[in-house]
Amino acid sequence: MEQRNIVWFDLETTGVNTTLDRIIEICMIKTDIKGNEIDTYYALVNPGSNIECRQEAIEKHGITPDLLKDQDPFEYIAREVYDFIDGCDLGGYNALFFDIPMLTEELMRAG
């Protein structure tokens, strides 16, 4: 059995709809199979001027539109994110039902 590194990640988003909402913060930690940290990746992400950040989301994570206005949109960092996770397994809290589908949608939109 192949032993792959694991990327533990968490997203903050404009809301909970994986199709309509966008990632606004991404944090990833890459570990080897023994749990040793190999690398980290962090970015705030501008969701675009046409995407509203729901008030419930702002109250949860505290990330306001003002904090995001000068950040790059996801399509500018998509290659870095893809390269970071390439060849790794993914893990995280609620990753299977929210974070992975949300990340997949963003990567597909970015081409």
Side-chain angles (χ1 to χ4, degrees), residues 34-106:
K34 294 181 180 181
N36 299 308
E37 187 176 309
I38 298 169
D39 201 359
T40 61
Y41 182 92
Y42 175 82
L44 287 171
V45 182
N46 186 328
S49 59
N50 61 336
I51 303 296
E52 180 183 341
C53 193
R54 300 187 199 314
Q55 187 59 39
E56 306 85 47
I58 294 171
E59 289 170 7
K60 180 180 180 226
H61 49 59
I63 301 171
T64 64
D66 274 350
L67 291 173
L68 304 173
K69 66 183 178 186
D70 295 328
Q71 303 301 318
D72 288 330
F74 189 83
E75 61 261 18
Y76 286 29
I77 65 164
R79 174 51 63 184
E80 292 174 2
V81 170
Y82 179 83
D83 289 345
F84 192 88
I85 65 175
D86 189 32
C88 297
D89 290 331
L90 300 175
Y93 179 76
N94 200 28
L96 185 60
F97 298 107
F98 182 74
D99 291 79
I100 291 174
M102 179 65 78
L103 182 58
T104 300
E105 286 288 331
E106 288 280 26

